[in-house]
Amino acid sequence: MSGAQMKFLPVATAETAEYWAGCRRHELLIQRCADCATYQFYPRLMCTACTGRSLEWVRASGHGRVRSFTIVRRAVAEAYAAEVPYVVALIELDEGPTMMSNVVGCSAEQVRMDMPVEVVFEDWTGDVTLPKFRPRAAGTAAR
Amino acid sequence: MGETLRGQAAIVGAADTEVGTVPHMGASQLCIDAILRALDDAGIGKEAVDGLVTCNSMAEPYMYHAEAMAEYLQIFPRYCVSVGAGGGTTFTALHQAASAIASGICHTVVIAMADSLRSGLTRERAMAMQSSSGHPQFESPYGAPVPAYYALIARAHMHEFGTTAEQFAAVAVSMRKHAARNPAAQMRKPISVEDVLGSRLIADPLHLLDCSLVSDGGAAVVLTSAERARDFRQPPVYLLGAGEGHGHEHISQARCLTTSAAADAGRRAYAMAGVGPGDIDLAQLYDCFTPVVVIELEDLGFCAKGEGGRFVAAGSIEPGGRLPVNTHGGLLSHCHPGNPGSMFALTEAVLQLRGQAGERQLAKAELALVHGQGGIMSSHCTVILGRECTR
C-alpha cells in the first residue's frame, strides 16, 4: 500500500510478535487461558481472569459484531487522508474480547451498530499486515 | 479510609494566566506566571512553598517537569512531583497534594499546570500527540484522531439510550452561554444547537463545535493545611471530598462504553464529604467533547443513567439552570491547553465559592463539585470543595 510507511505502523514486541506473525499469514490469533479457558486480547503475560500464566495462542473465528463505530471525516495524519471518510470501530469478537479496527468492504454510511463482520487482512508493508473487518451476512459459518 | 482527608486542607490562592492565543509566552513561562499570580493571590512569597506539583507540557516537555519548574523559580521543595493522568491530572494532583499535607510531608503546596498547544507545538509534536493517544500497536494504526475515540462512546450512548446529536449540542450551547459572561473566555459569541449541527462533521456524531478548543494558558492554586489556611488573606476554600476511579487506559479495553469510572470517583468523593449530588450548587465537569458531560452528569448522580441528554437539553446546566456547569465556559468555550485544562474549572470553583466571580457569580455557591477525566474516559478524579470546614 502506497504511503503506508507514513501511517502509524505497529512495532511488534516480544510479547506481540506471535500475533503480528499470525496477521502476516492472514490468521487472527488471540490468547486463551489453559487454566480457565478465558479468551483475551491484546496479548498479555497473564490471564486477566485468573492471573494464570498458561496462555495459548488460538486462531479466532474472525467473526464478530460492531460494538460501536465512527466515521472519520478528518484524517489523523496525511497518510490516512486518501481514505476519508473511513470507519473506526470497536469489534467484539465472537470469542468475547473487543478490538479496535476499521470496517472496510462497504461504504462508511452502510455500517451499523451490532452489524455482523468478519476479518480480512490488509498487507501494509513486508512486515506489517493489519486485521480489518468487512460486513458478513448473518449466519455465515466460521472459516 | 475514606473520611481522612475531609477538611484537612484548603485552597488559599488561585489564579489563571492570560488564556486563548498567547504567542508571546512559552509553556514554561505560562507555568511560572501562573505560580507567581497564585502566590500573589495568597499573599505569600515563594519561600513559603515547600511542595510543588505540576504536569508535563507537550510544547516544552522536561524529563522531570516539577523539578524543572522548581529550579526555574529557585525554590527547593521537600515534595516535588509531576502527575500524568490526562485531563484527570488536575484533581489527582490536588488529591495527592492534600494527602501530602495531611500526612505531614509538607505544609504549603503549589499545584501549577500550563501548556501552549495553540502557539507552541511544532507539527511533529502535534502529530506525536495525536498518535500517542491510542495504543501504539492495537489502536493508533487504524487512524482515529482523538475525537473519533470519543465518538465511539457517543455512538454507544445514542444506541443504548436514544440520546441525540441535538442533546449533545445542547452542552456546547450551554458552555457558550456561561462563557459569554466571562471576559477571559476564548469563545464568547453565542451559538445555537443548529450552529453546532451545522458545523463540520469531524467524526460522526461529533461536529466541530462538539469538540473543545486548542489553547495556550495555565493556572495555579496554593493548598495548605486547614489550620494554616485561616492566616491567609483570602477566604479559605476547603477540600471536603476527593475520590478517584481508574477503568482502563485504552478505549478498546473499556469494560463499558456508557458508564465510566467517574461513578467510582464520585461515590468515593461524596462519601468522604458526607454529601450527595443534591447538595451541590455548581459542578465543574470535564468537557473535552460534549458527550463526556452527558455521561459525567449521569455517573456523578445528577440525573439517572440514560437521562443525561434530556437533562442538558432542558437547560439544566445553563446559567440559571438547576445545576450550573462550568460557569467559566469550560474546555468548549473558555480554553483548553491540554492536560492543564481542568485547572480553570478548579480556579473558577474557588472564585465562585469565595464570591469573587463578578458578573457570573452564582447567588448560592457553598458546595462545588469539580471532576476531571483523562485518557478516553479512562482515569477520573472528583473533588468536592466548600466554604465551610465540615471536618
Side-chain angles (χ1 to χ4, degrees):
Chain A
M1 165 174 288
S2 66
Q5 283 77 7
M6 298 298 290
K7 289 187 170 178
F8 301 133
L9 291 180
V11 178
T13 63
E15 188 162 51
T16 64
E18 189 68 25
Y19 170 79
W20 291 113
C23 288
R24 284 195 294 275
R25 299 191 304 270
H26 290 200
E27 294 176 2
L28 182 64
L29 301 184
I30 60 175
Q31 287 178 315
R32 183 176 58 194
C33 176
D35 296 326
C36 76
T38 300
Y39 290 98
Q40 68 184 19
F41 183 82
Y42 50 82
R44 291 166 164 97
L45 179 67
M46 35 47 79
C47 168
T48 55
C50 75
T51 329
R53 292 179 177 233
S54 305
L55 293 158
E56 311 166 331
W57 288 103
V58 295
R59 185 172 175 180
S61 66
H63 286 185
R65 67 166 186 105
V66 174
R67 189 174 156 198
S68 193
F69 73 98
T70 181
I71 304 173
V72 177
R73 310 280 177 171
R74 184 165 171 264
V76 66
E78 197 56 41
Y80 293 83
E83 289 158 48
V84 166
Y86 54 90
V87 173
V88 171
L90 295 177
I91 306 298
E92 186 178 277
L93 301 174
D94 282 1
E95 289 81 0
T98 292
M99 60 187 291
M100 184 171 285
S101 191
N102 300 127
V103 177
V104 297
C106 64
S107 85
E109 308 292 341
Q110 288 174 308
V111 177
R112 295 285 178 270
M113 295 292 277
D114 294 322
M115 186 167 89
V117 290
E118 64 187 0
V119 72
V120 291
F121 290 90
E122 204 171 276
D123 299 322
W124 275 13
T125 69
D127 292 329
V128 175
T129 294
L130 243 70
K132 297 193 171 184
F133 289 81
R134 68 180 175 204
R136 168 176 64 94
T140 309
R143 289 179 302 159
Chain B
M1 205 182 101
E3 301 297 318
T4 52
L5 278 182
R6 187 207 293 186
Q8 298 270 1
I11 294 169
V12 292
D16 298 349
T17 67
E18 187 184 341
V19 303
T21 305
V22 194
H24 52 281
M25 292 183 88
S28 302
Q29 286 177 295
L30 286 166
C31 190
I32 299 298
D33 184 41
I35 294 172
L36 296 178
R37 288 173 186 240
L39 292 176
D40 278 349
D41 184 59
I44 58 172
K46 66 176 184 172
E47 305 75 25
V49 177
D50 63 356
L52 180 64
V53 185
T54 70
C55 72
N56 215 342
S57 153
M58 292 295 300
E60 294 180 18
Y62 292 96
M63 180 93 78
Y64 311 114
H65 189 269
E67 279 79 357
M69 294 299 103
E71 171 193 282
Y72 187 125
L73 273 172
Q74 284 292 290
I75 61 170
F76 309 95
R78 54 173 129 177
Y79 181 69
C80 194
V81 63
S82 300
V83 177
T89 296
T90 296
F91 307 126
T92 305
L94 189 64
H95 196 190
Q96 295 194 5
S99 306
I101 289 167
S103 60
I105 295 175
C106 53
H107 297 304
T108 302
V109 183
V110 169
I111 300 162
M113 300 175 189
D115 215 337
S116 43
L117 293 194
R118 193 169 187 86
S119 307
L121 276 191
T122 61
R123 190 178 162 77
E124 288 68 31
R125 281 217 160 274
M127 280 283 292
M129 196 170 85
Q130 283 278 1
S131 65
S132 67
S133 51
H135 190 292
Q137 293 185 65
F138 302 114
E139 293 185 345
S140 293
Y142 294 105
V146 175
Y149 293 118
Y150 283 93
L152 294 168
I153 294 167
R155 173 81 60 189
H157 203 276
M158 294 168 88
H159 184 67
E160 193 170 344
F161 302 113
T163 311
T164 65
E166 287 78 3
Q167 291 169 341
F168 292 140
V171 174
V173 172
S174 301
M175 295 308 101
R176 191 60 63 88
K177 285 183 182 175
H178 286 296
R181 297 165 168 225
N182 182 358
Q186 192 174 337
M187 302 294 280
R188 303 183 64 200
K189 183 168 162 262
I191 53 172
S192 65
V193 167
E194 292 69 36
D195 291 333
V196 179
L197 299 183
S199 65
R200 188 157 53 96
L201 263 177
I202 301 294
D204 305 32
L206 300 181
H207 300 79
L208 180 66
L209 293 177
D210 286 301
C211 307
S212 52
L213 305 169
V214 177
S215 318
D216 308 323
V221 299
V222 181
L223 190 77
T224 194
S225 66
E227 286 72 25
R228 289 169 186 265
R230 297 179 196 109
D231 301 333
F232 286 76
R233 72 173 172 213
Q234 294 286 2
V237 168
Y238 295 94
L239 179 79
L240 302 178
E244 300 185 29
H246 302 272
H248 56 264
E249 172 161 10
H250 304 104
I251 190 59
S252 59
Q253 296 287 318
R255 289 172 293 178
C256 178
L257 293 174
T258 53
T259 294
S260 73
D264 300 324
R267 191 175 60 250
R268 289 163 185 154
Y270 288 132
M272 186 188 290
V275 302
D279 300 315
I280 301 297
D281 298 314
L282 80 148
Q284 300 281 99
L285 306 180
Y286 202 78
D287 60 328
C288 51
F289 298 93
T290 55
V292 172
V293 175
V294 169
I295 292 175
E296 288 169 338
L297 286 164
E298 296 167 352
D299 288 347
L300 294 168
F302 294 113
C303 62
K305 181 49 73 180
E307 291 295 318
R310 281 178 282 277
F311 187 82
V312 297
S316 311
I317 66 173
E318 292 181 1
R322 57 190 267 210
L323 180 75
V325 169
N326 295 343
T327 50
H328 61 313
L331 306 172
L332 285 162
S333 284
H334 173 262
C335 80
H336 189 190
N339 287 352
S342 281
M343 284 299 292
F344 307 97
L346 177 63
T347 54
E348 172 71 5
V350 170
L351 287 185
Q352 289 282 354
L353 291 169
R354 285 180 183 170
Q356 298 173 352
E359 181 194 349
R360 62 187 187 281
Q361 178 64 46
L362 300 173
K364 181 170 184 289
E366 283 163 26
L367 267 187
L369 179 148
V370 292
H371 181 87
Q373 73 86 18
I376 315 295
M377 296 303 270
S378 312
S379 57
H380 293 259
C381 188
T382 307
V383 170
I384 296 169
L385 302 169
R387 295 156 57 110
E388 301 298 327
C389 183
T390 58
R391 182 166 47 169

